[in-house]
Amino acid sequence: MTTETATMSANAQDGFLNETDEFAFLLEEVPRVLRKAFDESIAQFGLSRTQWRTLAYLIKTEGMTQTELANCLELERATIGLTIDHLEKLEFVERRSAEGDRRVWRIFLRPKAVSIIPELRREANAVYEIMLKDVSDADVAIIRTAMEKMVGNLRGSCAL
């Protein structure tokens, strides 16, 4: 690298990253690290995070269609189909054709899934406890409010 190139490179770097960039990078880092910790904690059940999230939605609203699940999880229909295939192989869920429309499948929990729900809850709570260690309830409330505002701002912008 020539001296001129090094000087131009240094000048380009000066002021390029600012505190807002660093904050945005940190916002991205939290879910990345959380996903990794969560994946490690539920690996013992043979589940991925997406499969765990699928079960969580089914616990809340059993009998959802594949399309409804895909929308909730913000996944493509093919991806949710593969997820459900895997959960079926693990005997956690079963597909049942919808009454009146044999093209639509509703997804139901099987007893094996119901039996591990308390263990999954404990694992999730343990990960959350680690994540929130030394973070007060008041701090969580402030962070939550700020993040809800940020999401609202971004959803309302024309750029998205």
Side-chain angles (χ1 to χ4, degrees):
M1 183 181 311
T2 68
T3 305
E4 185 179 324
T5 306
T7 302
M8 287 189 334
S9 179
N11 289 340
Q13 292 172 1
D14 289 344
F16 179 73
L17 290 178
N18 59 37
E19 287 185 25
T20 305
D21 292 319
E22 291 172 2
F23 176 69
F25 294 164
L26 183 59
L27 282 175
E28 294 172 350
E29 184 71 2
V30 172
R32 187 188 71 73
V33 174
L34 176 61
R35 283 191 301 268
K36 184 178 180 199
F38 209 85
D39 283 345
E40 289 171 2
S41 77
I42 61 171
Q44 63 185 304
F45 301 101
L47 295 172
S48 70
R49 182 184 58 270
T50 298
Q51 293 157 356
W52 184 92
R53 290 177 63 217
T54 301
L55 291 176
Y57 276 101
L58 290 171
I59 290 164
K60 186 176 177 184
T61 310
E62 193 170 18
M64 294 177 80
T65 66
Q66 288 185 203
T67 301
E68 290 168 339
L69 279 167
N71 290 337
C72 288
L73 295 165
E74 296 182 357
L75 296 173
E76 297 296 321
R77 288 179 55 197
T79 303
I80 196 65
L82 293 172
T83 300
I84 293 167
D85 288 345
H86 185 77
L87 290 171
E88 276 188 316
K89 286 178 188 165
L90 292 172
E91 299 179 354
F92 287 146
V93 300
E94 66 182 356
R95 287 178 170 101
R96 297 182 198 160
S97 59
E99 211 172 289
D101 190 347
R102 294 177 54 181
R103 297 169 297 167
V104 175
W105 294 97
R106 295 199 172 277
I107 313 304
F108 292 86
L109 296 172
R110 296 192 61 199
K112 185 175 176 183
V114 173
S115 72
I116 67 163
I117 289 170
E119 294 173 72
L120 290 173
R121 179 74 270 154
R122 279 192 293 277
E123 290 297 326
N125 289 347
V127 170
Y128 299 152
E129 186 176 325
I130 292 166
M131 177 180 70
L132 296 172
K133 181 181 177 208
D134 299 328
V135 180
S136 71
D137 290 345
D139 286 344
V140 170
I142 290 167
I143 294 165
R144 181 185 187 115
T145 299
M147 291 181 81
E148 287 171 347
K149 288 177 184 177
M150 287 184 266
V151 168
N153 292 342
L154 291 169
R155 284 191 176 146
S157 77
C158 296
L160 296 179

